[in-house]
Amino acid sequence: MKKICITVLVAVVALIAASDASAQGRRGLRLNEVMVTNDSSVTDDYGRRSAWVELFNSTFAPLEISSVFITDDPSNPKKYPVPLGDVNTRIPKRQHVVFWADGQPSKGTFHMNFTLREGQDNWIGVYDADGKTLIDEVTVPASLAPNTTYARSEDGTGEWEVRDGSGARHVTPSSANVIRDTNSKVEMFAERDENGFGMTVMAMCIVFSALLLLSVCFYVISKIGEHYSKGNKAKSHGAKLQELTREERPDSDSGEAIAAIAMALHEHLDAHDRENTVLTINKVRKAYSPWNSKIYNMRQAPRH
């Protein structure tokens, strides 16, 4: 009964931890970019242009969003529930997904049941699975021109700004809001360490530090095991290890003694044929040989 209670308690704790971790992950979901009027921008999987809303996974782990709600009405937080069972609702870390605000949810998971209104302020909110916890929200201004977007200055963070495609303000559905073609850290490292000497020294230091740490860990573990082994051996003689002097304490088992004990146990446990009168028959496969075939021993009639 006690084991059953412990098992149930562990299962409940695991479920609570898993749900809490999932909820914490969903709070990393961010509204990232919105287009209200789409006349000449990106098309959906049916080749049609519609308003769209981009979500961004700001966490560093995959995020399942099939239990969240997207809405344009604060009084109806559960207006569009993201359906279950679609593998594409699992967003990889630091990646994007686009939902189409075309009012046609029958077209698929990423087609919402509401549209955005041109020339008006459009409030958009993302709610957690309980339909009460607001994860993120944004109000798209009515002055947003066609084929322009209202987006964050950086993915998942920064101030909201209007993007019309001019300069660095690119319209970037399903991609990063800031397009980087170089890595500043890599360039700085290459500039300061042209020959790679610093990187080599750093890598060697990391490797040897890890090896040193492993050797210390193995040494400590071996000493702990040796201490317990001596304690058990002293207990088998009716004494306590703490009460014995250093000279009276038993020595640790040598490698030869351990090997002999292991061999003895193997011979004892593998001797079932004699002790339990169990007969073991192993099938031996033999390769076919023409010397064993009778057809080669029969004389054939000559042909004219």
Side-chain angles (χ1 to χ4, degrees), residues 15-41:
L15 288 174
I16 293 174
S19 62
D20 183 67
S22 178
Q24 291 292 336
R26 286 194 297 270
R27 294 190 182 99
L29 188 63
R30 291 290 179 267
L31 287 162
N32 205 51
E33 191 171 6
V34 180
M35 177 176 284
V36 177
T37 305
N38 182 4
D39 294 334
S40 59
S41 185

PDB file of all heavy atoms in Angstrom, residues 15-41:
ATOM      1  N   LEU A  15       3.314  15.119 -13.281  1.00  0.00           N
ATOM      2  CA  LEU A  15       2.321  15.775 -14.129  1.00  0.00           C
ATOM      3  C   LEU A  15       2.246  17.264 -13.857  1.00  0.00           C
ATOM      4  O   LEU A  15       2.134  18.084 -14.776  1.00  0.00           O
ATOM      5  CB  LEU A  15       0.949  15.131 -13.912  1.00  0.00           C
ATOM      6  CG  LEU A  15       0.759  13.722 -14.483  1.00  0.00           C
ATOM      7  CD1 LEU A  15      -0.589  13.153 -14.054  1.00  0.00           C
ATOM      8  CD2 LEU A  15       0.871  13.740 -16.000  1.00  0.00           C
ATOM      9  N   ILE A  16       2.303  17.631 -12.580  1.00  0.00           N
ATOM     10  CA  ILE A  16       2.268  19.057 -12.227  1.00  0.00           C
ATOM     11  C   ILE A  16       3.490  19.770 -12.776  1.00  0.00           C
ATOM     12  O   ILE A  16       3.399  20.874 -13.332  1.00  0.00           O
ATOM     13  CB  ILE A  16       2.175  19.225 -10.693  1.00  0.00           C
ATOM     14  CG1 ILE A  16       0.821  18.700 -10.187  1.00  0.00           C
ATOM     15  CG2 ILE A  16       2.366  20.683 -10.303  1.00  0.00           C
ATOM     16  CD1 ILE A  16       0.697  18.694  -8.683  1.00  0.00           C
ATOM     17  N   ALA A  17       4.652  19.128 -12.644  1.00  0.00           N
ATOM     18  CA  ALA A  17       5.877  19.739 -13.157  1.00  0.00           C
ATOM     19  C   ALA A  17       5.834  19.884 -14.667  1.00  0.00           C
ATOM     20  O   ALA A  17       6.253  20.901 -15.223  1.00  0.00           O
ATOM     21  CB  ALA A  17       7.096  18.901 -12.748  1.00  0.00           C
ATOM     22  N   ALA A  18       5.308  18.847 -15.349  1.00  0.00           N
ATOM     23  CA  ALA A  18       5.225  18.911 -16.812  1.00  0.00           C
ATOM     24  C   ALA A  18       4.273  20.004 -17.267  1.00  0.00           C
ATOM     25  O   ALA A  18       4.563  20.763 -18.197  1.00  0.00           O
ATOM     26  CB  ALA A  18       4.791  17.562 -17.375  1.00  0.00           C
ATOM     27  N   SER A  19       3.107  20.105 -16.613  1.00  0.00           N
ATOM     28  CA  SER A  19       2.145  21.150 -16.995  1.00  0.00           C
ATOM     29  C   SER A  19       2.699  22.533 -16.709  1.00  0.00           C
ATOM     30  O   SER A  19       2.493  23.470 -17.484  1.00  0.00           O
ATOM     31  CB  SER A  19       0.829  20.936 -16.247  1.00  0.00           C
ATOM     32  OG  SER A  19       1.027  21.038 -14.839  1.00  0.00           O
ATOM     33  N   ASP A  20       3.408  22.668 -15.580  1.00  0.00           N
ATOM     34  CA  ASP A  20       3.981  23.970 -15.246  1.00  0.00           C
ATOM     35  C   ASP A  20       5.062  24.350 -16.248  1.00  0.00           C
ATOM     36  O   ASP A  20       5.159  25.508 -16.672  1.00  0.00           O
ATOM     37  CB  ASP A  20       4.563  23.934 -13.830  1.00  0.00           C
ATOM     38  CG  ASP A  20       5.101  25.288 -13.405  1.00  0.00           C
ATOM     39  OD1 ASP A  20       4.307  26.218 -13.250  1.00  0.00           O
ATOM     40  OD2 ASP A  20       6.333  25.405 -13.245  1.00  0.00           O
ATOM     41  N   ALA A  21       5.896  23.364 -16.647  1.00  0.00           N
ATOM     42  CA  ALA A  21       6.941  23.640 -17.637  1.00  0.00           C
ATOM     43  C   ALA A  21       6.327  24.031 -18.974  1.00  0.00           C
ATOM     44  O   ALA A  21       6.809  24.937 -19.657  1.00  0.00           O
ATOM     45  CB  ALA A  21       7.844  22.422 -17.809  1.00  0.00           C
ATOM     46  N   SER A  22       5.232  23.342 -19.347  1.00  0.00           N
ATOM     47  CA  SER A  22       4.563  23.680 -20.602  1.00  0.00           C
ATOM     48  C   SER A  22       3.988  25.082 -20.559  1.00  0.00           C
ATOM     49  O   SER A  22       4.076  25.841 -21.521  1.00  0.00           O
ATOM     50  CB  SER A  22       3.471  22.651 -20.895  1.00  0.00           C
ATOM     51  OG  SER A  22       2.775  22.977 -22.064  1.00  0.00           O
ATOM     52  N   ALA A  23       3.374  25.420 -19.404  1.00  0.00           N
ATOM     53  CA  ALA A  23       2.805  26.766 -19.267  1.00  0.00           C
ATOM     54  C   ALA A  23       3.897  27.828 -19.308  1.00  0.00           C
ATOM     55  O   ALA A  23       3.737  28.873 -19.947  1.00  0.00           O
ATOM     56  CB  ALA A  23       2.017  26.856 -17.962  1.00  0.00           C
ATOM     57  N   GLN A  24       5.021  27.559 -18.645  1.00  0.00           N
ATOM     58  CA  GLN A  24       6.125  28.502 -18.675  1.00  0.00           C
ATOM     59  C   GLN A  24       6.631  28.693 -20.092  1.00  0.00           C
ATOM     60  O   GLN A  24       6.971  29.804 -20.502  1.00  0.00           O
ATOM     61  CB  GLN A  24       7.265  27.997 -17.768  1.00  0.00           C
ATOM     62  CG  GLN A  24       6.963  28.029 -16.285  1.00  0.00           C
ATOM     63  CD  GLN A  24       6.845  29.446 -15.738  1.00  0.00           C
ATOM     64  OE1 GLN A  24       7.390  30.379 -16.304  1.00  0.00           O
ATOM     65  NE2 GLN A  24       6.118  29.603 -14.651  1.00  0.00           N
ATOM     66  N   GLY A  25       6.661  27.593 -20.884  1.00  0.00           N
ATOM     67  CA  GLY A  25       7.113  27.696 -22.255  1.00  0.00           C
ATOM     68  C   GLY A  25       6.166  28.514 -23.106  1.00  0.00           C
ATOM     69  O   GLY A  25       6.594  29.340 -23.910  1.00  0.00           O
ATOM     70  N   ARG A  26       4.856  28.309 -22.939  1.00  0.00           N
ATOM     71  CA  ARG A  26       3.880  29.056 -23.739  1.00  0.00           C
ATOM     72  C   ARG A  26       3.917  30.541 -23.442  1.00  0.00           C
ATOM     73  O   ARG A  26       3.553  31.358 -24.289  1.00  0.00           O
ATOM     74  CB  ARG A  26       2.478  28.491 -23.497  1.00  0.00           C
ATOM     75  CG  ARG A  26       2.231  27.146 -24.162  1.00  0.00           C
ATOM     76  CD  ARG A  26       0.754  26.827 -24.167  1.00  0.00           C
ATOM     77  NE  ARG A  26       0.232  26.705 -22.826  1.00  0.00           N
ATOM     78  CZ  ARG A  26       0.186  25.585 -22.137  1.00  0.00           C
ATOM     79  NH1 ARG A  26       0.668  24.460 -22.661  1.00  0.00           N
ATOM     80  NH2 ARG A  26      -0.338  25.538 -20.920  1.00  0.00           N
ATOM     81  N   ARG A  27       4.350  30.922 -22.259  1.00  0.00           N
ATOM     82  CA  ARG A  27       4.460  32.348 -21.949  1.00  0.00           C
ATOM     83  C   ARG A  27       5.597  33.008 -22.733  1.00  0.00           C
ATOM     84  O   ARG A  27       5.705  34.235 -22.740  1.00  0.00           O
ATOM     85  CB  ARG A  27       4.657  32.545 -20.448  1.00  0.00           C
ATOM     86  CG  ARG A  27       3.433  32.128 -19.627  1.00  0.00           C
ATOM     87  CD  ARG A  27       3.531  32.553 -18.180  1.00  0.00           C
ATOM     88  NE  ARG A  27       2.386  32.099 -17.423  1.00  0.00           N
ATOM     89  CZ  ARG A  27       2.375  31.029 -16.653  1.00  0.00           C
ATOM     90  NH1 ARG A  27       3.457  30.300 -16.531  1.00  0.00           N
ATOM     91  NH2 ARG A  27       1.289  30.677 -15.992  1.00  0.00           N
ATOM     92  N   GLY A  28       6.429  32.207 -23.377  1.00  0.00           N
ATOM     93  CA  GLY A  28       7.474  32.746 -24.242  1.00  0.00           C
ATOM     94  C   GLY A  28       7.003  32.998 -25.652  1.00  0.00           C
ATOM     95  O   GLY A  28       7.788  33.427 -26.502  1.00  0.00           O
ATOM     96  N   LEU A  29       5.710  32.757 -25.937  1.00  0.00           N
ATOM     97  CA  LEU A  29       5.159  33.005 -27.263  1.00  0.00           C
ATOM     98  C   LEU A  29       4.902  34.506 -27.426  1.00  0.00           C
ATOM     99  O   LEU A  29       4.355  35.147 -26.530  1.00  0.00           O
ATOM    100  CB  LEU A  29       3.868  32.215 -27.443  1.00  0.00           C
ATOM    101  CG  LEU A  29       3.244  32.191 -28.835  1.00  0.00           C
ATOM    102  CD1 LEU A  29       4.169  31.514 -29.823  1.00  0.00           C
ATOM    103  CD2 LEU A  29       1.896  31.464 -28.787  1.00  0.00           C
ATOM    104  N   ARG A  30       5.288  35.047 -28.568  1.00  0.00           N
ATOM    105  CA  ARG A  30       5.162  36.484 -28.787  1.00  0.00           C
ATOM    106  C   ARG A  30       4.514  36.792 -30.141  1.00  0.00           C
ATOM    107  O   ARG A  30       4.784  36.126 -31.141  1.00  0.00           O
ATOM    108  CB  ARG A  30       6.545  37.151 -28.748  1.00  0.00           C
ATOM    109  CG  ARG A  30       7.184  37.168 -27.364  1.00  0.00           C
ATOM    110  CD  ARG A  30       6.454  38.122 -26.446  1.00  0.00           C
ATOM    111  NE  ARG A  30       7.045  38.129 -25.105  1.00  0.00           N
ATOM    112  CZ  ARG A  30       6.618  37.367 -24.110  1.00  0.00           C
ATOM    113  NH1 ARG A  30       5.603  36.528 -24.303  1.00  0.00           N
ATOM    114  NH2 ARG A  30       7.188  37.429 -22.923  1.00  0.00           N
ATOM    115  N   LEU A  31       3.634  37.813 -30.125  1.00  0.00           N
ATOM    116  CA  LEU A  31       3.177  38.402 -31.381  1.00  0.00           C
ATOM    117  C   LEU A  31       4.348  39.178 -31.969  1.00  0.00           C
ATOM    118  O   LEU A  31       4.972  39.998 -31.278  1.00  0.00           O
ATOM    119  CB  LEU A  31       1.994  39.323 -31.127  1.00  0.00           C
ATOM    120  CG  LEU A  31       0.671  38.634 -30.785  1.00  0.00           C
ATOM    121  CD1 LEU A  31      -0.283  39.622 -30.140  1.00  0.00           C
ATOM    122  CD2 LEU A  31       0.052  38.021 -32.030  1.00  0.00           C
ATOM    123  N   ASN A  32       4.645  38.941 -33.244  1.00  0.00           N
ATOM    124  CA  ASN A  32       5.890  39.473 -33.786  1.00  0.00           C
ATOM    125  C   ASN A  32       5.688  40.423 -34.970  1.00  0.00           C
ATOM    126  O   ASN A  32       6.425  41.392 -35.121  1.00  0.00           O
ATOM    127  CB  ASN A  32       6.786  38.316 -34.221  1.00  0.00           C
ATOM    128  CG  ASN A  32       8.247  38.684 -34.218  1.00  0.00           C
ATOM    129  OD1 ASN A  32       8.749  39.204 -33.230  1.00  0.00           O
ATOM    130  ND2 ASN A  32       8.940  38.429 -35.320  1.00  0.00           N
ATOM    131  N   GLU A  33       4.676  40.154 -35.809  1.00  0.00           N
ATOM    132  CA  GLU A  33       4.458  40.996 -36.987  1.00  0.00           C
ATOM    133  C   GLU A  33       3.033  40.787 -37.487  1.00  0.00           C
ATOM    134  O   GLU A  33       2.529  39.670 -37.479  1.00  0.00           O
ATOM    135  CB  GLU A  33       5.470  40.651 -38.082  1.00  0.00           C
ATOM    136  CG  GLU A  33       5.503  41.627 -39.241  1.00  0.00           C
ATOM    137  CD  GLU A  33       6.675  41.363 -40.173  1.00  0.00           C
ATOM    138  OE1 GLU A  33       7.389  40.362 -39.976  1.00  0.00           O
ATOM    139  OE2 GLU A  33       6.866  42.168 -41.110  1.00  0.00           O
ATOM    140  N   VAL A  34       2.397  41.882 -37.939  1.00  0.00           N
ATOM    141  CA  VAL A  34       1.000  41.824 -38.382  1.00  0.00           C
ATOM    142  C   VAL A  34       0.852  42.630 -39.669  1.00  0.00           C
ATOM    143  O   VAL A  34       1.376  43.752 -39.776  1.00  0.00           O
ATOM    144  CB  VAL A  34       0.039  42.384 -37.309  1.00  0.00           C
ATOM    145  CG1 VAL A  34      -1.402  42.303 -37.800  1.00  0.00           C
ATOM    146  CG2 VAL A  34       0.203  41.640 -35.996  1.00  0.00           C
ATOM    147  N   MET A  35       0.139  42.060 -40.640  1.00  0.00           N
ATOM    148  CA  MET A  35      -0.244  42.786 -41.850  1.00  0.00           C
ATOM    149  C   MET A  35      -1.759  42.754 -41.958  1.00  0.00           C
ATOM    150  O   MET A  35      -2.362  41.682 -41.938  1.00  0.00           O
ATOM    151  CB  MET A  35       0.396  42.176 -43.097  1.00  0.00           C
ATOM    152  CG  MET A  35      -0.038  42.863 -44.390  1.00  0.00           C
ATOM    153  SD  MET A  35       0.785  42.236 -45.882  1.00  0.00           S
ATOM    154  CE  MET A  35       2.392  43.001 -45.709  1.00  0.00           C
ATOM    155  N   VAL A  36      -2.388  43.930 -42.092  1.00  0.00           N
ATOM    156  CA  VAL A  36      -3.842  44.037 -42.153  1.00  0.00           C
ATOM    157  C   VAL A  36      -4.353  43.946 -43.589  1.00  0.00           C
ATOM    158  O   VAL A  36      -5.280  43.210 -43.895  1.00  0.00           O
ATOM    159  CB  VAL A  36      -4.314  45.343 -41.482  1.00  0.00           C
ATOM    160  CG1 VAL A  36      -5.824  45.492 -41.613  1.00  0.00           C
ATOM    161  CG2 VAL A  36      -3.902  45.365 -40.013  1.00  0.00           C
ATOM    162  N   THR A  37      -3.748  44.721 -44.502  1.00  0.00           N
ATOM    163  CA  THR A  37      -4.175  44.733 -45.904  1.00  0.00           C
ATOM    164  C   THR A  37      -3.064  44.147 -46.754  1.00  0.00           C
ATOM    165  O   THR A  37      -1.953  44.704 -46.825  1.00  0.00           O
ATOM    166  CB  THR A  37      -4.483  46.159 -46.372  1.00  0.00           C
ATOM    167  OG1 THR A  37      -5.450  46.743 -45.488  1.00  0.00           O
ATOM    168  CG2 THR A  37      -5.029  46.147 -47.790  1.00  0.00           C
ATOM    169  N   ASN A  38      -3.366  43.033 -47.401  1.00  0.00           N
ATOM    170  CA  ASN A  38      -2.374  42.305 -48.187  1.00  0.00           C
ATOM    171  C   ASN A  38      -2.829  42.273 -49.650  1.00  0.00           C
ATOM    172  O   ASN A  38      -3.654  41.458 -50.042  1.00  0.00           O
ATOM    173  CB  ASN A  38      -2.207  40.891 -47.626  1.00  0.00           C
ATOM    174  CG  ASN A  38      -1.159  40.084 -48.371  1.00  0.00           C
ATOM    175  OD1 ASN A  38      -0.487  40.585 -49.264  1.00  0.00           O
ATOM    176  ND2 ASN A  38      -1.009  38.828 -47.993  1.00  0.00           N
ATOM    177  N   ASP A  39      -2.280  43.194 -50.458  1.00  0.00           N
ATOM    178  CA  ASP A  39      -2.618  43.251 -51.881  1.00  0.00           C
ATOM    179  C   ASP A  39      -1.530  42.654 -52.761  1.00  0.00           C
ATOM    180  O   ASP A  39      -1.814  42.083 -53.821  1.00  0.00           O
ATOM    181  CB  ASP A  39      -2.869  44.702 -52.315  1.00  0.00           C
ATOM    182  CG  ASP A  39      -4.110  45.272 -51.647  1.00  0.00           C
ATOM    183  OD1 ASP A  39      -5.009  44.482 -51.288  1.00  0.00           O
ATOM    184  OD2 ASP A  39      -4.165  46.504 -51.469  1.00  0.00           O
ATOM    185  N   SER A  40      -0.279  42.790 -52.345  1.00  0.00           N
ATOM    186  CA  SER A  40       0.833  42.344 -53.197  1.00  0.00           C
ATOM    187  C   SER A  40       1.944  41.674 -52.397  1.00  0.00           C
ATOM    188  O   SER A  40       3.066  41.560 -52.878  1.00  0.00           O
ATOM    189  CB  SER A  40       1.411  43.541 -53.965  1.00  0.00           C
ATOM    190  OG  SER A  40       1.880  44.532 -53.056  1.00  0.00           O
ATOM    191  N   SER A  41       1.628  41.237 -51.203  1.00  0.00           N
ATOM    192  CA  SER A  41       2.646  40.611 -50.366  1.00  0.00           C
ATOM    193  C   SER A  41       2.555  39.095 -50.473  1.00  0.00           C
ATOM    194  O   SER A  41       2.123  38.551 -51.487  1.00  0.00           O
ATOM    195  CB  SER A  41       2.479  41.075 -48.915  1.00  0.00           C
ATOM    196  OG  SER A  41       3.529  40.564 -48.118  1.00  0.00           O
TER     197      SER A  41
END
